Amino acid sequence: MSVHKDVRRITTNTLQEMKHRGEKISMLTSYDYSMARLVDGAGIDVILVGDSASNVMAGHETTLPITLDQMIYHAQGVVRAAKRCLVVVDLPFGSYQGNSKEALNSAIRIMKESGAHAVKMEGGSEIKESIQRILTAGIPVMGHLGLTPQSIYKFGTYQVRAKEEAEAERLLSDAQVLSDCGCFSLVLEKIPAKLAAQVTSAIEIPTIGIGAGSEVDGQVLVINDMIGLTQDFSPRFLRRYMNAGDQILDAVARYVSDVKSGDFPNEKEQY
Ligand code: KIV
């Protein structure tokens, strides 16, 4: 019998119910087994295996270089750890923009090879056909609008999106398209709080914000930023809950010193 028999798995339906009863959804990224085990154990609702792995795990400047194989590798570890939360995996740049058949193949690979529960895709009406094809295969899709980092070279900056009326209207209409075509939720990244609130009350599905204010149905942060593993990234929307970077620096420096001085290992730490 499973030791997790009493754990009720969060599903896409759970998130919809949470929106209806006004319970906020908590989401964090994770990219490996050890971190996901802690994050899931602490009671997170959703783990996103974000393509931000390209930045925080691999050290790239953008999310563009990460491959489908690499995303699947990260997702496999997370899925092995996650007993309660919903696991959503980003379709990486270049794995779905070409055509809907390619998009479906990429989504199927993620679901089959990692065991994840859903995929996330950046974009609005321009990727509607791909989303619909993926949904037809029974794969839940999370949308992502506002600042969409896979399009950074189109935007040119990581600044707040949709401040102008025309872009705000386009975003509202894209959010409606994604909701109507069957996405189960929608990430809103770095847009004015007022616009995020408007989207949240206009559409049926839960919205999850990052730099989108408080009047959304849930919040997401990149775990490495939130615990202070990344130290050179401090946007206004980021709340740091600990300074893991400094603690690791201190621990490693003490270890180096103990090894050099011969203090480690002591008698109790050997056979
Ligand atoms: O890749 C990622 O971490 C994301 C979040 C910032 C929403 O897409």
Side-chain angles (χ1 to χ4, degrees), residues 29 31 48 50-52 90 120 122 144 187 189 210 220 222:
T29 66
Y31 317 99
L48 171 66
D51 59 358
S52 48
D90 262 332
K120 175 163 83 60
E122 294 182 7
H144 185 157
V187 167
E189 180 164 354
I210 173 164
V220 57
V222 169

Side-chain angles (χ1 to χ4, degrees), residues 7-52:
V7 176
R8 188 169 158 249
R9 171 75 75 178
I10 305 268
T11 66
T12 57
N13 290 335
T14 319
L15 303 189
Q16 189 68 60
E17 288 162 13
M18 287 167 83
K19 176 172 176 121
H20 280 138
R21 63 172 179 266
E23 180 183 340
K24 296 278 188 185
I25 297 163
S26 60
M27 175 158 118
L28 277 172
T29 66
S30 295
Y31 317 99
D32 67 85
Y33 176 84
S34 303
M35 185 66 83
R37 200 150 175 237
L38 293 169
V39 172
D40 182 62
I44 203 80
D45 297 315
V46 184
I47 287 183
L48 171 66
V49 184
D51 59 358
S52 48

Side-chain angles (χ1 to χ4, degrees), residues 15-16 18-20 22-25 145 168 171-176 179 185-189 191-219:
L15 303 189
Q16 189 68 60
M18 287 167 83
K19 176 172 176 121
H20 280 138
E23 180 183 340
K24 296 278 188 185
I25 297 163
L145 294 173
L171 190 142
L172 254 172
S173 132
D174 275 340
Q176 199 64 65
S179 178
S185 80
L186 173 62
V187 167
L188 296 172
E189 180 164 354
I191 61 170
K194 216 170 135 195
L195 175 61
Q198 231 181 317
V199 172
T200 301
S201 57
I203 64 175
E204 282 296 308
I205 58 174
T207 56
I208 301 185
I210 173 164
S214 60
E215 286 182 55
V216 285
D217 300 307
Q219 298 290 334

Side-chain angles (χ1 to χ4, degrees), residues 20-255:
H20 280 138
R21 63 172 179 266
E23 180 183 340
K24 296 278 188 185
I25 297 163
S26 60
M27 175 158 118
L28 277 172
T29 66
S30 295
Y31 317 99
D32 67 85
Y33 176 84
S34 303
M35 185 66 83
R37 200 150 175 237
L38 293 169
V39 172
D40 182 62
I44 203 80
D45 297 315
V46 184
I47 287 183
L48 171 66
V49 184
D51 59 358
S52 48
S54 180
N55 308 105
V56 298
M57 301 302 285
H60 293 296
E61 241 179 64
T62 72
T63 58
L64 275 65
I66 201 160
T67 66
L68 186 57
D69 284 339
Q70 288 165 340
M71 288 302 298
I72 289 169
Y73 171 77
H74 286 295
Q76 285 168 338
V78 170
V79 168
R80 277 181 217 121
K83 304 299 176 211
R84 173 182 171 273
C85 66
L86 184 81
V87 179
V88 182
V89 181
D90 262 332
L91 278 179
F93 176 71
S95 72
Y96 63 98
Q97 289 91 347
N99 59 59
S100 62
K101 186 163 184 282
E102 195 186 349
L104 175 61
N105 287 341
S106 302
I108 286 178
R109 279 202 60 204
I110 284 181
M111 302 297 282
K112 226 179 170 62
E113 295 177 39
S114 78
H117 312 128
V119 297
K120 175 163 83 60
M121 298 162 75
E122 294 182 7
S125 52
E126 73 280 8
I127 57 162
K128 182 177 166 191
E129 190 189 319
S130 294
I131 292 175
Q132 284 174 321
R133 198 152 175 178
I134 292 171
L135 290 170
T136 309
I139 300 172
V141 177
M142 176 181 273
H144 185 157
L145 294 173
L147 177 64
T148 47
Q150 292 179 12
S151 306
I152 185 58
Y153 291 116
K154 185 173 102 187
F155 298 144
T157 77
Y158 285 101
Q159 278 163 12
V160 180
R161 302 302 314 173
K163 278 161 76 176
E164 307 302 328
E165 203 176 319
E167 193 181 339
E169 269 171 26
R170 171 86 203 268
L171 190 142
L172 254 172
S173 132
D174 275 340
Q176 199 64 65
V177 167
L178 296 179
S179 178
D180 291 348
C181 83
C183 287
F184 72 92
S185 80
L186 173 62
V187 167
L188 296 172
E189 180 164 354
K190 237 177 160 184
I191 61 170
K194 216 170 135 195
L195 175 61
Q198 231 181 317
V199 172
T200 301
S201 57
I203 64 175
E204 282 296 308
I205 58 174
T207 56
I208 301 185
I210 173 164
S214 60
E215 286 182 55
V216 285
D217 300 307
Q219 298 290 334
V220 57
L221 286 175
V222 169
I223 182 94
N224 296 48
D225 302 333
M226 178 266 197
I227 64 171
L229 270 179
T230 45
Q231 298 191 305
D232 45 4
F233 181 67
S234 303
R236 191 204 291 199
F237 67 75
L238 175 62
R239 185 178 295 182
R240 264 193 226 295
Y241 283 81
M242 67 182 287
N243 206 331
D246 282 350
Q247 286 182 263
I248 291 173
L249 277 174
D250 178 59
V252 174
R254 286 192 290 119
Y255 170 75

